[in-house]
Each structure stands twice: as structure tokens, then as C-alpha cells.
Amino acid sequence: MKTLDRHYLLRHRDVPGIDTLQGYEADGGYSGLKKALAEFEPDAIVDLVKASGLRGRGGAGFPTGLKWSFLAKDGRPRALVVNADEGEPGTFKDRELIEHNPHQLIEGMLIASYATRSPESFIYIRGEFLHGHEVLQRAIAEATERGYLGDRVLGTDFSHHMYLYRGAGAYICGEESALLESLEGRRGNPRLKPPFPAVAGVYGLPTVVNNVETIANLPPLILNGAEWHRQWGTEKSPGLKVMSVSGHVTRPGNYEVPLDATLRELVEMAGGVRTGHQVKAVIPGGSSMPLLPAGQLDTPIDYESLVQAGSMLGSGGCIVMDDSTCIVAAVARVVRFYRDESCGKCTPCREGTYWMTDVLDRLEGGQGELGDLDTLLDVADNINGKAFCPLGDASVGFMVSAIRNFRDEFVEHITGRTCPLGARLYDTVNY
Amino acid sequence: MTSEELGTGGAPEWNPEWASWAAAAREEFPRAQSALMPFLHRVQTDEGWLRPEALDAAAHYLELPRQYVESVVSFYSLFRTEVTGHRTIHVCMSLSCALAGSDALLHNLEEALGVRVGQTTPDGAYTLLEAECLAACDLAPACQVNLRYVGPVPPERFQTLLEEEVSTREDA
């Protein structure tokens, strides 16, 4: 892992006052936008982003420039939607970027909108981010006042209007088509695809949906170029990533690292686990992803290496569990989250997450039977790949990996008729 | 402003400001039904919850079926259709917070307040709710009081959430 001389995304860590327009401009803020408008045709920016190898930071890791180039080319106005509905358990990077470095997001949105020829952009921010909403309201007002937003941006032919839209508590709205439904004032049920957002997104317009962190990458990328971006990470996963490290570490927080850092390096940056304890397992990319046991800590975090190891980078929410963790309780809690957040539209997800939660609560309470493990895997198999949207798949990855890696611990709960680690789950038989 | 203050004979009344709030939401978001959620947020910021009259008003001013408004409101966990206490406490129960003791924290709060999760204390001071992941795992166990972050709150320090000076919903 190459050491960073400074932060490029978490810039506020180095530069105080960067959350204001004045502070951001003093640190060279909006010079990326100025350069984009003065020196680049829109398509040249798409090419630059393609050449940089930047991949979406929301979870799927799809190449950003390629996504932009899928936009329907039929003359209709386009739209950019920024997904600020960060809610994947273990992930809290976008919140920090929004609250402390809002102008880098706005500048990035302007660059992306210019590149995709979008006269309008929308930030969909989750309802719980009340402070983030206020910060963005102020930052958008500042940027408008200074002429970065509105008609004829900085005297050019490019006009742009930015809207801030507040969600109201629904994890599923982080799924891009559910987000678009919500943005249009409906229940956040996912849409049938195709048509994909690139053809019919918000209000039927060809739409790009990008994650906050993806967009925040654009200003330094325009200023420094594709090769600069490629100096970090790997050939297929270049660049920097903000990893949220939480759980049993002594310094939980966000860490900006090159994409070839290892999980072990991340855990060490976050202060390691408590004295006298060992790492038991790590979820590298948010609770939708399979866990990796301690033996795989030397896996690099690039997209390919984590897939090869049996998990995924996802949103970069790295949850560390030490040897005091009851893996059954952890799984029960995670699956319950998906049960609560399932939108109820499709049967495998709606019913399957209920069923798995019931069985897991029973297991954790010492009332399980040996057949329960087969039941869990069978239900998981009936959800995986069979749900309407990715939430169903997300609910089973961690559980299946936990049963595969820690089957003995599940069995102990059944044969011992209690949790060997003494864990207790609120709202279940053992609380 | 409470419904009692507005009412003439105890009958729940419409806030006269609702019309202008609905118009403002429509002006900013004229397409599809996008004006609905901003209007509902505005009302809930003012009153703490969405009483039935507010849903009637949303349907009326935004020209939507009443049933449509209800269906949207019921989808989103932050929209409240029951009276809410002066302070709404959300306890994050997701994995990182659970590893840090959120279950015991919630239990302690229930004991201290004498209510179960989802309920409001009889004096109207507190509403206790579970939260989905609050994207604040660095503050685990993380909570919000009237949507302002408080954390970390170790289980034994639950009193912090009850005593700490926090913003009320009026300035939220």
C-alpha cells in the first residue's frame, strides 16, 4: 500500500474551514470545475473518467465512465441523481463527506452534469441526515450566490440547477430505482428493469445515479488526470477509497486508503482490537457482504481480490468482530435488519427474511434444532437470485458465509441449548 | 402550535400556513408527486407528527387521493402518525451498534422511561424508537435525539440521552 501524503476525499482532515465556500476556494476548490468548463468538451471528460478506471463507490463497483456513456442519446434532457441515502450497516463515509466537505460533492456534481450534459441534478439524502441536509442547503446557496449554479455557470453556455430532496427513513431507497420512485413522491418500491435509469430515470429522463463518494472523486481527477488516479490501487481497481471501519476496533472511523490496502492494514489503522482479544471475522463491505474469517485478513480490498476471497468490497463498510462475538447473534441481528427493511413487494424477500429471523432468534435463544441449519440454507437458496431487487440477495450473504465458516458455533447453540458466549438479543426469547 | 391552540371548539383544524407550504413544495418540485414528501416533512417539523388533518390537507392541496397520501406516509419509518414526545430518541440497533451494546442501552432506556420501544411516555416528554443503521457506526452505540446525533452512548450512560440539552423539534 502506497502511503498518502494528504487526503483527497476527506480533505477537511487536513484543511480546516473547508466546509465553507471561502475555505474550499482557498484550498483550490472549484478549480476542477473551471478547468472542466474551459479545457474539456463534455465527451472528453467521459473519456477521462473511463481512462481513470474510476468505479462506483456505492456498492456495485460499476465503471463510472461506462455508466455515463449508456445514457440515451435521443436528444432528451438528462439528469444526474446523487445517491446520499447511505444506510448500509457499517458504512458512514458519505455522511462525513457531506457534513464536512460538501463543496467537493457539489463541484463533482457540476463536473458530472457538464460531462453528461445534464441541466438538472438531484441529491437524494436520507431523512436521518438532518445535519447533512442543512449543510448541503447552505453550501448550495453559497454556490448559487457565487455563480457556480444557475443560468450560465461562470459565464459559459452551461446552465445547471441542483435540487436537494430529503428521504424519510427507508433503507431500500438506496437501491437506485427505489430511490427514483421515492424522489418522485411515491412509496420506495424498486422498479422493474429494463428500462434502466440511463433510458428512463427520474421523471422519465435519461438519468445517471452515482454515489456521493464517486462524485467526490471527480474534482481531483479533473485537476490531476487519469494517470494520477491510476498510481493507486490495482490495474482493475485503481484509486482511493474511503473505508468505514467499525465494530471491535479501538479507533473506529473513516480511513482514506489506496485500493490495494489489506484488511489487516485497515484494522491496524483503526487501532486494532482490544488488548487480549483476537479478530474473529471481518465483513469487508457492509452487512450485505459475506464475512471473511481472521485467516483471510491479508486480502487486499480491491474489488477483484475480495471477490476471489469470497466476499465483496460493497460500500466499504468494514465491520470487525473480535473473539467475544457470538456469530449467531451477529447473523440474527443482520438478518432482522433486512426483514425490517424489506419493502414487501416480492415474496422471497418479504417472507424469507421473516422466516430466517425467526429461526435465528430461536437458535440464539438455545431453542433450535439441528434441522434449522438446513432450513436456513434452504430459505437462503430460495431468496438468492430470486428476489425482485438486490435487497433479497443482501440478506443472505452474511448468514450463509457465517454458517459455512462457523458451523460448529451454530451447532453448539443447539446441542448446548444456550449461547456459549452468553450473548443476549433484545426482543427475543433470551432477553 | 398544538391543535388545541388552533381549534375553535376542540375540533382539529387545519393550520392556515399549510396552504403556503404546499404551494412552496409544488413550486420547487412541480413534477410527478415530488411535492408530497417535502410538504409532509415541513408539517412534521412543525408539529412533531402527522395528524389525520395534515394528510387530508396534503391530499387537498397537492390534488392527490387521500389513500395515496396514506400509502406513502405508511411506507417511510420517519413519518409518524401517532403523537410524538417532545424528544424522540432513536437507538441504532444495527450490527456495529449491537456489538457495542445497543440492546442493553435500549433495555435500560425502557426501564428508565417505563415504556416499551415504539411508545411515548404519558407526560409526552419522550418517544423511544429503534433506528435502522444511522450511518454512524464510528459513534456506536449511536443514537439520535430529534434527529441530532448523540454517541457513543454506552449502555450504562443512557441517562445522557434524557438529560443532555438537545435541540427540540422546533429548531430542527
Side-chain angles (χ1 to χ4, degrees):
Chain A
M1 178 181 78
K2 196 167 164 179
T3 319
L4 290 184
D5 53 339
R6 49 164 288 195
H7 292 91
Y8 291 91
L9 300 165
L10 303 174
R11 253 158 97 178
H12 53 280
R13 302 272 184 96
D14 308 325
V15 188
I18 204 170
D19 58 324
T20 65
L21 180 61
Q22 202 183 5
Y24 187 64
E25 285 182 328
D27 191 50
Y30 287 101
S31 50
L33 172 67
K34 288 170 187 160
K35 183 176 178 185
L37 293 174
E39 299 177 22
F40 287 85
E41 285 300 311
D43 290 345
I45 298 176
V46 179
D47 291 341
L48 170 68
V49 173
K50 276 185 186 168
S52 75
L54 176 65
R55 294 169 67 169
R57 302 291 194 241
F62 195 80
T64 305
L66 192 59
K67 190 178 203 178
W68 291 359
S69 66
F70 288 160
L71 279 167
K73 297 165 187 67
D74 52 11
R76 286 179 294 157
R78 288 137 164 206
L80 170 72
V81 173
V82 167
N83 185 343
D85 193 59
E86 181 175 52
E88 171 77 8
T91 314
F92 46 93
K93 64 194 176 66
D94 297 338
R95 182 171 63 84
E96 179 168 349
L97 290 169
I98 289 166
E99 289 181 355
H100 298 281
N101 192 9
H103 282 288
Q104 188 159 335
L105 172 62
I106 294 171
E107 184 184 4
M109 287 175 68
L110 281 159
I111 293 167
S113 299
Y114 174 68
T116 56
R117 297 184 167 90
S118 302
E120 293 179 305
S121 62
F122 301 81
I123 305 173
Y124 182 94
I125 184 166
R126 65 181 291 194
E128 291 85 348
F129 284 0
L130 182 60
H131 179 57
H133 184 261
E134 291 165 349
V135 170
L136 283 173
Q137 265 182 327
R138 181 181 46 77
I140 289 172
E142 285 177 333
T144 306
E145 174 82 8
R146 187 73 111 240
Y148 294 127
L149 285 168
D151 292 332
R152 302 183 60 82
V153 172
L154 300 172
T156 64
D157 291 338
F158 174 61
S159 295
H160 191 74
H161 295 270
M162 192 174 284
Y163 300 88
L164 184 58
Y165 200 83
R166 218 179 139 205
Y171 168 76
I172 186 60
C173 291
E175 193 279 331
E176 64 178 8
S177 70
L179 184 155
L180 296 172
E181 282 291 288
S182 182
L183 182 53
E184 294 183 7
R186 290 191 279 273
R187 294 165 67 89
N189 288 328
R191 292 177 178 172
L192 183 66
K193 300 179 196 177
F196 289 92
V199 174
V202 65
Y203 306 130
L205 304 172
T207 302
V208 165
V209 184
N210 280 147
N211 169 261
V212 169
E213 186 189 351
T214 311
I215 294 290
N217 267 283
L218 298 173
L221 177 57
I222 289 287
L223 286 174
N224 300 303
E227 283 314 305
W228 167 84
H229 186 255
R230 283 191 169 279
Q231 70 178 295
W232 292 293
T234 68
E235 173 68 25
K236 287 183 174 169
S237 300
L240 304 169
K241 175 85 189 80
V242 181
M243 295 294 289
S244 304
V245 188
S246 69
H248 290 138
V249 287
T250 53
R251 285 194 306 272
N254 287 314
Y255 295 88
E256 184 174 336
V257 293
L259 267 169
D260 58 354
T262 65
L263 290 170
R264 189 183 303 283
E265 284 170 319
L266 269 182
V267 173
E268 280 164 12
M269 287 172 96
V273 293
R274 294 169 296 172
T275 314
H277 288 274
Q278 303 291 322
V279 174
K280 180 172 186 169
V282 170
I283 305 177
S287 69
S288 303
M289 302 303 158
L291 62 76
L292 296 176
Q296 286 179 283
L297 272 179
D298 289 313
T299 309
I301 60 166
D302 64 280
Y303 296 93
E304 288 71 26
S305 297
L306 282 174
V307 167
Q308 203 175 2
S311 187
M312 281 173 80
L313 177 61
S315 54
C318 180
I319 305 176
V320 180
M321 291 168 278
D322 73 16
D323 48 17
S324 70
T325 310
C326 169
I327 214 76
V328 181
V331 171
R333 176 51 44 87
V334 166
V335 174
R336 193 175 89 136
F337 171 82
Y338 293 100
R339 178 197 71 180
D340 292 350
E341 295 303 326
S342 171
C343 79
K345 181 185 175 111
C346 75
T347 311
C349 174
R350 183 187 63 239
E351 303 299 325
T353 51
Y354 261 89
W355 199 355
M356 293 189 300
T357 304
D358 274 3
V359 174
L360 286 162
D361 284 355
R362 178 162 87 213
L363 282 173
E364 180 54 29
Q367 299 176 0
E369 297 164 18
L370 280 171
D372 282 346
L373 291 182
D374 292 334
T375 303
L376 285 174
L377 293 172
D378 184 46
V379 175
D381 187 47
N382 278 291
I383 297 174
N384 206 10
K386 300 174 182 75
F388 189 82
C389 87
L391 193 144
D393 294 358
S395 73
V396 302
F398 178 49
M399 185 188 79
V400 172
S401 69
I403 296 176
R404 188 177 299 136
N405 285 285
F406 297 98
R407 193 178 183 102
D408 291 351
E409 194 173 322
F410 281 82
V411 172
E412 270 184 77
H413 279 74
I414 298 163
T415 52
R417 308 221 58 83
T418 186
C419 173
L421 286 147
R424 298 166 80 209
L425 277 178
Y426 174 84
D427 199 27
T428 65
V429 285
N430 76 346
Y431 210 99
Chain B
M1 196 178 288
T2 66
S3 55
E4 290 77 44
E5 284 162 349
L6 274 170
T8 46
E13 297 264 336
W14 287 22
N15 182 337
E17 289 186 279
W18 287 350
S20 60
W21 294 350
R26 268 190 126 163
E27 194 185 329
E28 188 177 10
F29 295 103
R31 287 167 285 188
Q33 288 80 46
S34 295
L36 177 58
M37 298 210 345
F39 173 74
L40 295 171
H41 273 306
R42 185 70 190 81
V43 174
Q44 186 162 293
T45 300
D46 184 51
E47 302 195 349
W49 65 295
L50 299 169
R51 51 192 169 97
E53 298 76 28
L55 305 193
D56 295 339
H60 175 75
Y61 292 126
L62 302 176
E63 297 172 74
L64 298 165
R66 175 64 162 74
Q67 172 262 359
Y68 178 86
V69 174
E70 187 98 29
S71 110
V72 171
V73 167
S74 67
F75 188 85
Y76 297 96
S77 61
L78 285 188
F79 287 139
R80 299 274 302 160
T81 49
E82 287 168 47
V83 183
T84 304
H86 188 62
R87 290 179 185 193
T88 298
I89 301 173
H90 276 104
V91 180
C92 182
M93 298 288 280
S94 287
L95 182 55
S96 294
C97 288
L99 294 174
S102 62
D103 295 46
L105 173 63
L106 187 65
H107 179 75
N108 290 348
L109 285 166
E110 283 185 337
E111 294 283 307
L113 295 174
V115 295
R116 294 298 308 261
V117 68
Q119 295 178 337
T120 299
T121 54
D123 63 357
Y126 300 99
T127 298
L128 182 61
L129 300 171
E130 272 182 57
E132 60 180 290
C133 181
L134 289 173
C137 320
D138 50 340
L139 303 177
C143 298
Q144 285 190 330
V145 179
N146 293 346
L147 300 186
R148 302 289 176 184
Y149 284 100
V150 187
V153 189
E156 65 281 6
R157 283 185 27 216
F158 67 91
Q159 202 71 26
T160 312
L161 293 166
L162 310 182
E163 288 168 353
E164 190 173 297
E165 271 309 307
V166 291
S167 68
T168 59
R169 63 176 181 250
E170 282 74 24
D171 50 60

